Amino acid sequence: MSDSNDEVAVISTNHGEMVIEFWPETAPGHVENFKKLANESFYDGTCFHRIIKGFMIQGGDPLTKDPDEEHAWGTGDPGYKIDAEFSDRPHIKGVLSMARSSNPNSAGSQFFICLADCKPLDGQYTCFGQLIKGENVLETLGAVPCGGREGSRPEDRQGVLSITIVSRADAGVE
């Protein structure tokens, strides 16, 4: 593979693939962390455990690999936290950003992809990439039936089969 700006993430789901380009100049630590976890197959077999229609889809929790841990989904991480890298980039449809608790420096592995413009998140969450292929997959995921205690748990598992880091050419994008 070539330089960091040439690499993209291919998120393979049970609905198809999404391709994300990274913004290493905006959030180098987050890009590096996401690529590291993807290259270690950390995300493979997880799911999008939280979907809020018209807002975002959230994944990246390693606990979602085990259906028996559903009560704790949304609390898992890689065993460490990374510091926030806020920027002036807006949270618009297709932006990849890191989920966190109320502590700005509490992100680890959980991420979300915006389903629409989310201006209240600007400057509050670290965005570090953008969907460049697979908008139909994002829209399909954003429309699945949800319920549960907060109304955001998909009724059926929305699997992340794998996240791989490849060159733009290998992902079929230029």
Side-chain angles (χ1 to χ4, degrees):
M1 283 186 272
S2 45
D3 73 59
S4 183
N5 286 329
D6 182 56
E7 293 177 334
V8 295
V10 177
I11 303 173
S12 298
T13 76
N14 53 321
H15 295 288
E17 292 183 348
M18 295 182 284
V19 178
I20 303 283
E21 70 177 5
F22 294 111
W23 298 334
E25 71 287 351
T26 300
H30 283 70
V31 170
E32 180 183 326
N33 181 63
F34 190 88
K35 287 180 177 183
K36 172 185 153 316
L37 292 173
N39 285 329
E40 293 172 352
S41 302
F42 180 90
Y43 294 116
D44 299 3
T46 61
C47 72
F48 289 104
H49 64 277
R50 187 171 182 226
I51 297 175
I52 301 176
K53 293 182 186 339
F55 179 46
M56 61 88 198
I57 64 172
Q58 183 174 332
D61 183 343
L63 298 178
T64 64
K65 294 179 182 185
D66 184 354
D68 292 335
E69 292 294 319
E70 185 172 1
H71 67 280
W73 289 3
T75 65
D77 62 36
Y80 59 83
K81 308 293 186 197
I82 58 176
D83 289 343
E85 295 176 294
F86 300 144
S87 72
D88 58 1
R89 285 206 186 241
H91 281 77
I92 59 173
K93 184 176 184 178
V95 160
L96 174 67
S97 192
M98 284 300 277
R100 61 172 177 80
S101 70
S102 58
N103 178 346
N105 297 319
S106 63
S109 60
Q110 293 190 47
F111 62 90
F112 62 91
I113 304 172
C114 298
L115 292 168
D117 293 359
C118 304
K119 292 190 185 308
L121 303 182
D122 294 351
Q124 305 295 313
Y125 288 80
T126 300
C127 52
F128 63 104
Q130 172 76 43
L131 180 77
I132 57 171
K133 185 177 177 184
E135 188 172 330
N136 59 324
V137 176
L138 178 63
E139 290 176 0
T140 298
L141 285 163
V144 300
C146 294
R149 60 186 164 92
E150 295 177 7
S152 62
R153 177 84 71 228
E155 291 177 5
D156 296 315
R157 184 175 181 82
Q158 303 304 312
V160 174
L161 308 176
S162 66
I163 298 180
T164 55
I165 306 302
V166 301
S167 71
R168 294 173 79 84
D170 287 346
V173 295
E174 291 304 320

